[in-house]
Amino acid sequence: MTRARIIGMGAYAPKRVLSNADLERMVETSDEWIVQRSGIRERRIVDESEATSDLAVRAAHQALERANLVPEDIDFIVVGTTTPDMVFPNVACLLQKRLGTRTVGCLDVSAACSSFVYGLSVAHGAIVSGQAETVLVVGAETLSRITNWRDRATCVLFGDCGGAAVLRPARKGDGFLSFTLGGDGQGGDALQMKAGGSRRPASYETIERGEHYIAMNGSEVYQFAVRAICDAAAQALREADLRPADVDFVIPHQANIRIIESAARRLKIPMEKFFVNVQRYGNTSAASIPVALYEAAAAGCVRDGGLGVLVTFGAGYTWGACTIRWGGGIRRRA
């Protein structure tokens, strides 16, 4: 069966850096408290002129360049995001216009922090079925726009970023080996933005109550996250007939260092195989995994022939994981 592989990646982080020291001047918190509980030291924040599509287009251009392709080569665009520029048109259509591609399928995937892995699964299916040959998958977020900067429990966690990957049919032996996706709506109340949709349209009352910001039950989400990452990664490995000992690298969702460390212990995969950049970006939701994978590959932590696991969890609840035999590398245009 045809598989898909990643042949080029890109990432973009806004210029503004918001450090823990900056947050100490905004809310009652401390660098020590934030680092101890999350591992985060700083995060990136968009400026007033930037929206999610701006981050997406920068990451996409870089991914295409690294893949030695041009926008006209794209057959399908999939964007994972929780923070679109607007309700419609979707970010994928905005990205298609700005890249100047042919008229192609344009799809946004909304599965919170799991959106990029969900998007990879959609892209892989399109390639395997013959519907597309070259698929651009983007994860981009401007979470700062839905963060309550007076809520010290959540404002220390989130940041803005964009990441992108170009997928094409795999060569023999490399590419994605398995996918597992899941969702459980019973956990929806633990992590949500209550207003802004058809259930609670924007009104004076919803704004006054702060219902257009991220609301989270931290302890409940933490417990779910550790369980979900372990279960999803283990299932993806089983479906590829692999064991934890076979894994060369893990790219986990960068939400919290304590979650990552707990998952490493439960999976019995050495922590040094987990790539971590949460200290520099915080939780960037759908952008988390593509940015981390891009940096891991650029740093030489992901090498051709290496076996890896990408694993994530998100609001909904949602979760997802995939195994991949890395064979794309990151190439520059000649």
Side-chain angles (χ1 to χ4, degrees), residues 292-310:
L293 182 57
Y294 168 83
E295 291 193 345
C301 301
V302 175
R303 299 182 176 89
D304 280 359
L307 176 70
V309 177
L310 316 183

Side-chain angles (χ1 to χ4, degrees), residues 311-328:
V311 60
T312 186
F313 67 92
Y317 288 128
T318 61
W319 59 89
C322 57
T323 57
I324 184 171
R325 179 74 67 183
W326 189 257

Side-chain angles (χ1 to χ4, degrees), residues 18-179:
L18 184 69
S19 68
N20 290 348
D22 295 325
L23 284 169
E24 288 177 347
R25 294 187 286 270
M26 297 167 59
V27 293
E28 185 180 348
T29 191
S30 69
D31 175 72
E32 181 182 6
W33 188 89
I34 297 169
V35 172
Q36 181 181 15
R37 286 162 177 78
S38 69
I40 301 168
R41 296 186 180 275
E42 61 185 34
R43 65 287 295 149
R44 299 298 185 95
I45 306 296
V46 293
D47 64 33
E48 292 182 358
S49 67
E50 289 179 305
T52 296
S53 66
D54 297 304
L55 311 188
V57 73
R58 287 176 177 266
H61 274 303
Q62 188 178 54
L64 287 167
E65 180 181 352
R66 298 296 176 90
N68 201 28
L69 298 174
V70 295
E72 290 78 8
D73 294 318
I74 297 172
D75 300 316
F76 189 19
I77 299 172
V78 182
V79 175
T81 188
T82 307
T83 52
D85 292 33
M86 58 199 77
V87 175
F88 59 86
N90 65 19
V91 177
C93 281
L94 299 177
L95 183 57
Q96 182 273 333
K97 177 183 177 182
R98 295 182 64 178
L99 289 175
T101 74
R102 296 174 288 110
T103 52
V104 298
C106 296
L107 172 68
D108 276 12
V109 175
S110 178
C113 302
S114 303
S115 296
F116 184 76
V117 171
Y118 269 59
L120 289 177
S121 177
V122 171
H124 181 265
I127 290 172
V128 168
S129 68
Q131 182 181 357
E133 185 175 30
T134 303
V135 184
L136 174 65
V137 184
V138 177
E141 300 282 13
T142 49
L143 294 175
S144 63
R145 298 290 169 78
I146 59 170
T147 296
N148 183 349
W149 294 103
R150 294 175 294 180
D151 178 10
R152 68 172 186 165
T154 58
C155 74
V156 302
L157 301 175
F158 300 103
D160 307 329
C161 264
V166 178
L167 276 64
R168 284 181 60 88
R171 301 170 303 194
K172 185 177 181 180
D174 64 14
F176 291 100
L177 307 176
S178 65
F179 278 91

